[in-house]
Amino acid sequence: MKKAILIVSSGTSVLEALNETTNKLEKRLMDTYPDYKVCQAFSVQPIVNKMQAMYPGTYFNVQEMLEKLLEERVEELAVLPFYMIKGTENERLREVIKEYEDKFAKVVIAKPLFHIKEDYIKVLDAVLDAADMNEGEALMLVGHGTKHHDNTEYQNLEYTAYTQGRRNIFVATLEGYQKTNLLMRKLQLTGCENVRLMPLLLVIGKHAKVDIAGDGDSWKTKLIEAGYQVEVQMTGLGELDSIQDIFVEHLKEVFGA
């Protein structure tokens, strides 16, 4: 019986970022599950179009990859969403998978990064290990965000930091969640003059480089204009082994191992 693991991400056209994130995870899963075909698909069609134009026959959207797996007579399929939250993209993915469920003998879908309380703690630990913060420095994490109700996952991460006594860690999003003026007020109350700005994104792409750390209307600019000394750390969470560990654990859960 042929079995496969399908990693689904939003995708990126930046090859370096791709190699450091989903390609790295793909190789890891190949080594861990040698009896499985391990592959990946992108869920954002404009990125798929761009990659297919540059590298024909190499990158696919979810439907295209599912069709390929069926052609290869794969019977058991495990889907690993390389997403932060159970938001809109995750729901769309589940809708697509549901259309194909009866074409496979078995289909299981793992959870995204944030699922249970322990995930927030693990993510926070991973971020702090990567951030290498200086004493007296505040940490501003900025994610993409969504208008979906699961946008509260970002608030939960900040609350987790707060309950662990870390009152100098804040979480913002480009869409939804907290208003900028409220976050700035909370930051001001810490008395910190230095801020480490870090994307709360799996992959470093346009949003990180322009909306978070750019020289225009970005979070970096807002913080500088507010009088803070800003240190930008461009680390994608998906690059970190400790973050990939969480995704692997979520995959093991649906495997029952």
Side-chain angles (χ1 to χ4, degrees):
M1 180 179 290
K2 293 192 69 174
K3 301 180 288 186
I5 297 171
L6 175 58
I7 305 167
V8 179
S9 67
S10 299
T12 177
S13 58
V14 181
L15 284 181
E16 182 180 0
L18 190 63
N19 287 332
E20 291 297 323
T21 55
T22 51
N23 286 355
K24 179 179 173 182
L25 179 59
E26 183 179 30
K27 176 61 168 61
R28 175 175 176 174
L29 293 177
M30 286 178 179
D31 294 338
T32 306
Y33 299 100
D35 295 334
Y36 283 76
K37 172 186 175 65
V38 183
C39 53
Q40 58 177 297
F42 295 165
S43 58
V44 177
Q45 192 58 44
I47 295 177
V48 176
N49 295 342
K50 186 173 182 179
M51 294 299 279
Q52 287 180 341
M54 293 191 294
Y55 311 99
T58 305
Y59 298 94
F60 305 93
N61 65 27
V62 179
Q63 292 93 330
E64 290 167 342
M65 184 53 73
L66 290 172
E67 290 291 346
K68 283 176 62 66
L69 293 175
L70 289 171
E71 290 174 8
E72 295 173 13
R73 300 187 181 279
V74 169
E75 297 181 53
E76 290 192 3
L77 175 65
V79 181
L80 179 58
F82 195 67
Y83 298 142
M84 297 281 294
I85 64 173
K86 303 186 293 291
T88 304
E89 279 196 78
N90 193 65
E91 287 186 351
R92 287 175 183 162
L93 171 61
R94 285 182 169 272
E95 289 172 3
V96 173
I97 298 300
K98 189 173 182 180
E99 295 174 6
Y100 283 82
E101 268 184 332
D102 59 353
K103 298 181 181 181
F104 294 93
K106 181 180 180 181
V107 178
V108 293
I109 307 176
K111 304 297 184 184
L113 184 62
F114 291 122
H115 175 46
I116 58 176
K117 180 179 178 181
E118 286 73 16
D119 294 335
Y120 299 105
I121 296 172
K122 290 175 183 176
V123 170
L124 183 61
D125 288 343
V127 167
L128 290 174
D129 284 344
D132 191 26
M133 292 174 62
N134 299 315
E135 188 174 347
E137 189 176 45
L139 176 63
M140 179 69 75
L141 300 168
V142 184
H144 185 281
T146 175
K147 293 180 174 61
H148 190 277
H149 59 80
D150 274 310
N151 201 61
T152 54
E153 304 284 12
Y154 296 99
Q155 186 175 357
N156 290 341
L157 181 62
E158 183 177 299
Y159 180 72
T160 298
Y162 185 87
T163 57
Q164 292 192 335
R166 298 185 177 275
R167 310 296 166 85
N168 61 334
I169 299 176
F170 305 96
V171 179
T173 57
L174 301 174
E175 292 183 15
Y177 186 37
Q178 295 198 45
K179 300 297 182 182
T180 302
N181 57 354
L182 175 59
L183 278 167
M184 289 296 193
R185 176 58 180 158
K186 290 163 67 175
L187 177 58
Q188 184 182 32
L189 291 174
T190 65
C192 295
E193 297 180 356
N194 300 310
V195 177
R196 182 168 297 262
L197 180 63
M198 185 173 173
L200 189 64
L201 301 169
L202 292 173
V203 179
I204 296 298
K206 178 183 176 182
H207 284 303
K209 295 176 180 178
V210 177
D211 302 321
I212 297 174
D215 294 325
D217 183 20
S218 67
W219 268 93
K220 174 186 173 183
T221 300
K222 290 184 178 76
L223 290 166
I224 291 174
E225 290 178 348
Y228 294 100
Q229 295 292 319
V230 181
E231 178 76 24
V232 177
Q233 182 160 338
M234 297 291 276
T235 303
L237 296 190
E239 302 171 20
L240 306 177
D241 290 338
S242 49
I243 293 296
Q244 293 202 3
D245 287 344
I246 301 173
F247 284 105
V248 174
E249 287 170 12
H250 288 179
L251 184 61
K252 288 180 179 178
E253 287 172 7
V254 297
F255 279 158

